[in-house]
Amino acid sequence: MSTRRAISVTQKSASFIRKGDPLLVKESFPKELHFEEGEVVSLVDPQGQFVANAYLAVQNKGLGWIYSYHKEEAFDQTFFIQQFHTALARRQALLDDEMTTAFRLFNAEGDGIPGVTIDLYDSYAVFSWYSKGVYRYQAELIEAFKQVFPFVTGIYEKHRYQSDDQAASDFVEGQQAPEPLYVKENGVMYATYLDEGWMTGIFLDQRHVRQAIMERYASGKSVLNTFSYTGAFSVAAAMGGAAHTTSVDVANRSLEKTKEQFVVNGIDPDTQLIRVMDVFDYIQYAKRKSLAFDLIVVDPPSFARTKKRTFSVVKDYSKMVEDLIDISADDAIFVCSSNAANYKRDKFKADIEKAFKNKEVGCRILEEHRLPEDFPAPAASQTSQYLKVFIIQKTK
Ligand code: SAH
């Protein structure tokens, strides 16, 4: 610890950090920074006063993360064990809930160790490493994790940073999970695959939104799920008594994966429509056929590139909602969602409302969702709170 470098941050950055913003960027430092990935440093303000401890690592546009405001705190196994204990205590209700067996066990900076998330799928854990710098601590982190979460029987990991020598997904240790591995969420089954690239078949941060659809909005409705991936929203709707679902995704894999999600819940996939096609083409088709859906889910990726066009959620979301209003029934409900960290909540909301206004119909927000309780985020960190969901009804 005595060898730790003291590094100056700008006055402005010191004040952000003291307010609780854990992210370091190029502008945090008065001069260019040279460091080894994962180096632990003490940050000081221009007056030389201690600000916080951080580790340095390239992560997207970031250059490192604050991990502690206590001068003596090391970034080591003892520290990791403490953070894991706090994370565990926070999730006791979820761990006790037999209807839900997949959720986030540890959420990076929101749980006190930036750069790594850990998801639970039944008795298996999936670590996602967001920088080479944090991966340097892999062995200590996994040791600490096993001490605090002894019920985990196998560990997988995802490398979510640029690297030439790392596969996107790896099995790490313990027992291997069956493929598929069945997990439950609010009593609905999902088939997951823990070792297929970055994605597992379900996005765990939408748990409450799937529950809302299932319990409050789907019954008796015709449902359109755009950018449907493995059809998780469609399955939740069908389990909530939807009259019919249509899932649209351009990826070939989505057909089999979506069928499988229906089958594991005892729903005959032939009673549902699964379209492998570009959502933009589907909307044109639906307009020609004068289709009118009661419930429409719009949860696109931040960027989508197909042969014909590129879609940027921040630029194009509003227009997409306009197009979807054209294929919606009276009083239709829209589930509008974006996980793009650079798309701010207020802008997202305004863009949705603008779409209804442009189409000369009213709208009423019924529910708003942010990240669920197992995805805590520091209040002072804008980018950590990436998920925004509005459940909104079209009115006359
Ligand atoms: N809403 C989903 C997750 C969406 S992931 C859920 O919660 O489960 C983004 C999906 O968008 C991917 O499956 C990708 O194949 C799909 N996609 C990207 N561009 C598309 C396009 N132009 N048309 C249809 N699907 C698209």
Side-chain angles (χ1 to χ4, degrees), residues 199 203 206 210 225-233 248-251 253 277-280 299-301 304-306:
M199 303 196 285
F203 288 102
Q206 297 277 15
R210 283 186 287 266
N225 181 9
T226 60
F227 306 95
S228 56
Y229 180 45
T230 61
F233 285 126
V248 183
D249 195 293
V250 77
R253 58 159 197 255
M277 69 190 284
D278 190 322
V279 166
F280 300 89
D299 176 36
R305 226 167 261 120
T306 53

